[in-house]
Amino acid sequence: MIAFLLITFFVLLALGVPIAMSLGLSAMGGILFLDGGSMVSVGQRMFEGMNSFALLAIPLYTFAGFTMSKGGISDRLMGFCYSIVGRFTGGLAHVNVLSSMIFAGISGSAVADTAGVSGMIMPQMVKKGYSKKLTVAVTAISSTIGIVIPPSIPMVVIAGILGISTGKLFLGGIIPGIMLGVAQMAVSYFLAKREGVPKEEGHFDMGEFLKYGWESLPALLMPIIIVGSITTGIVSPTEAGAIAVVYGLIAGGLIYKELKWADIKFAFCETVKTSAKIFLVIGSAKLFTVMLTTAGFDKWVANTMLGVSDNPTIILILILLIFFIVTMFMESIATLTLFMPIIYPIAMAVGIDPTVMSVLITVVIGIGLVTPPVGMCIYVACDLMEMRVGQVMKTLVPYLAATFVVLALLIAFPQLILLPTGLVR
């Protein structure tokens, strides 16, 4: 049955069938023709995969991100970031990265960051003398921080699948997200210097910093409110998503007064579309995973990996390698839903901390978002600049190398992930 499931899935995928349909159809074939099941069991198993209170956070954070991005924060956020790092060498590239780090605390989505806040600065970078290659590369790679710094949609999905604390995953992503941002700024500095991009005139201005800081305060407070309400035990991460929705509406509609009814309608429609796609993938992947598990695929993977070594670090590297390879070809949510239930028992058997593993997997998923053939962020950034992915990859390599350095440091020093999680009650 394992061969039937995998061959059917990859054939459908090669024919251009959407991944949710490829997973669902191949699993349905196994259930109906090989396992003797019925369409009733198909529906029940798909619903089981989607029926999670933790997953309710996905549409909430998505909607909050859309309302905040449409509610007037983008220009103010850019001004605030520019007042901090804009006058260093490679200033606008640094602004791109820093704005992604801040917006990461609002949307929880890398693709939303690419098309939203970071996408706004791309024309300015080209106008100031940055090459299109550098502009696209820094925009794509910086947006991957969006799924590491809380809130994070992939982390919500992982927590929902494994039944672990979403709050701990959120907190575990803070230091890695900051490390990724600093690493990307360091690379941007050297690349901008190599390209001879002129340095912005002037020096740090405290008055400008305070002005933009005050104007951006509602946006800057949002991540603090989300993480703070979770760490103090006042609300669950899902309930914090509801707070984020209300806060986004108040900030955009009453404070900035730029959020119109048309924007709210747009946010609703886009949230429904985005969430529906994610939940359909989750339900189909759950169905496919159940069939793989019934066929013994999980035992085969466990025996293969443990046959290589029982050292936790080596097993962790193997797990990350699997996700790195798979996310180059599969959508991240489908990969998580498909492989996390299989990988989790193996990790627990050798003593790998689930929070450490989950945060590292999220970082690896970010790499998958900027590597072809399914790197959504790199495709979105290239579309915005009307470039081909192949033209950008050489410039992207130093950023990927910096990401791997951060990943290696996190593997060597997992305390960087676990330190903030002690705050969770």
Side-chain angles (χ1 to χ4, degrees):
M1 185 185 288
I2 295 176
F4 171 83
L5 291 170
L6 295 178
I7 291 172
T8 306
F9 168 66
F10 284 113
V11 168
L12 290 171
L13 208 59
L15 292 173
V17 178
I19 192 164
M21 299 299 293
S22 298
L23 289 167
L25 290 173
S26 54
M28 284 171 57
I31 291 173
L32 299 176
F33 302 116
L34 300 180
D35 198 41
S38 65
M39 287 301 295
V40 174
S41 62
V42 170
Q44 288 174 337
R45 287 172 178 173
M46 288 187 69
F47 180 74
E48 286 173 9
M50 297 182 283
N51 186 27
S52 169
F53 181 71
L55 296 179
L56 183 60
I58 293 174
L60 293 174
Y61 287 123
T62 302
F63 183 79
F66 278 120
T67 55
M68 290 295 281
S69 64
K70 288 286 184 179
I73 73 161
S74 300
D75 292 336
R76 295 171 178 85
L77 198 57
M78 289 295 178
F80 176 69
C81 293
Y82 185 85
S83 70
I84 300 173
V85 296
R87 292 183 175 88
F88 293 104
T89 299
L92 288 182
H94 301 325
V95 171
N96 200 327
V97 175
L98 186 58
S99 63
S100 291
M101 293 172 69
I102 297 174
F103 195 69
I106 297 173
S107 72
S109 167
V111 177
D113 178 49
T114 307
V117 177
S118 292
M120 292 182 63
I121 200 173
M122 295 176 76
Q124 298 178 42
M125 289 183 67
V126 174
K127 189 176 180 180
K128 290 287 186 177
Y130 293 81
S131 68
K132 283 190 175 183
K133 294 177 183 178
L134 176 55
T135 300
V136 170
V138 71
T139 299
I141 195 70
S142 67
S143 65
T144 63
I145 302 174
I147 61 172
V148 181
I149 292 178
S152 164
I153 290 175
M155 287 183 183
V156 170
V157 173
I158 292 172
I161 294 169
L162 303 184
I164 60 178
S165 169
T166 309
K168 281 191 175 182
L169 296 189
F170 280 4
L171 289 172
I174 294 174
I175 293 178
I178 294 172
M179 290 174 65
L180 288 170
V182 172
Q184 291 170 11
M185 287 184 187
V187 173
S188 297
Y189 173 86
F190 288 108
L191 292 182
K193 202 164 188 178
R194 188 181 69 182
E195 290 190 355
V197 178
K199 185 179 178 182
E200 295 290 309
E201 296 180 359
H203 301 281
F204 176 80
D205 187 326
M206 180 58 73
E208 187 180 68
F209 169 76
L210 293 175
K211 172 180 177 292
Y212 282 109
W214 174 254
E215 290 180 355
S216 304
L217 189 60
L220 298 174
L221 284 176
M222 189 171 183
I224 298 173
I225 290 172
I226 292 172
V227 177
S229 61
I230 294 171
T231 55
T232 54
I234 298 174
V235 296
S236 70
T238 303
E239 292 165 342
I243 293 175
V245 168
V246 175
Y247 185 83
L249 291 171
I250 292 173
L254 300 180
I255 299 175
Y256 292 141
K257 297 181 180 178
E258 293 187 21
L259 188 67
K260 310 302 181 186
W261 282 112
D263 298 323
I264 297 175
K265 180 181 177 181
F266 172 83
F268 268 119
C269 292
E270 291 302 308
T271 298
V272 170
K273 290 178 186 177
T274 302
S275 301
K277 291 176 184 176
I278 292 174
F279 276 92
L280 183 59
V281 169
I282 290 173
S284 299
K286 171 66 175 179
L287 191 65
F288 194 81
T289 305
V290 168
M291 293 308 300
L292 283 178
T293 304
T294 302
F297 182 72
D298 56 332
K299 294 183 177 64
W300 177 81
V301 172
N303 292 334
T304 302
M305 294 183 69
L306 295 175
V308 174
S309 173
D310 59 357
N311 182 290
T313 303
I314 293 176
I315 294 296
L316 179 59
I317 292 172
L318 287 174
I319 290 172
L320 297 178
L321 184 60
I322 289 172
F323 276 90
F324 171 67
I325 294 172
V326 175
T327 50
M328 289 176 66
F329 301 94
M330 281 180 61
E331 197 272 337
S332 58
I333 301 300
T335 304
L336 289 173
T337 312
L338 194 58
F339 283 94
M340 287 305 293
I342 295 171
I343 294 298
Y344 184 63
I346 302 171
M348 295 303 98
V350 296
I352 298 173
D353 187 278
T355 301
V356 171
M357 179 186 70
S358 300
V359 171
L360 290 175
I361 286 173
T362 305
V363 175
V364 170
I365 286 174
I367 299 173
L369 287 170
V370 292
T371 49
V374 191
M376 287 301 299
C377 289
I378 191 69
Y379 283 114
V380 171
C382 284
D383 285 345
L384 291 172
M385 283 284 103
E386 298 181 348
M387 294 189 71
R388 297 191 306 273
V389 173
Q391 296 175 290
V392 183
M393 289 309 297
K394 186 176 179 180
T395 309
L396 190 63
V397 168
Y399 288 105
L400 292 175
T403 303
F404 281 114
V405 169
V406 172
L407 196 61
L409 289 172
L410 294 173
I411 294 172
F413 304 101
Q415 299 87 348
L416 293 169
I417 296 173
L418 294 174
L419 183 63
T421 63
L423 299 173
V424 177
R425 292 184 177 181

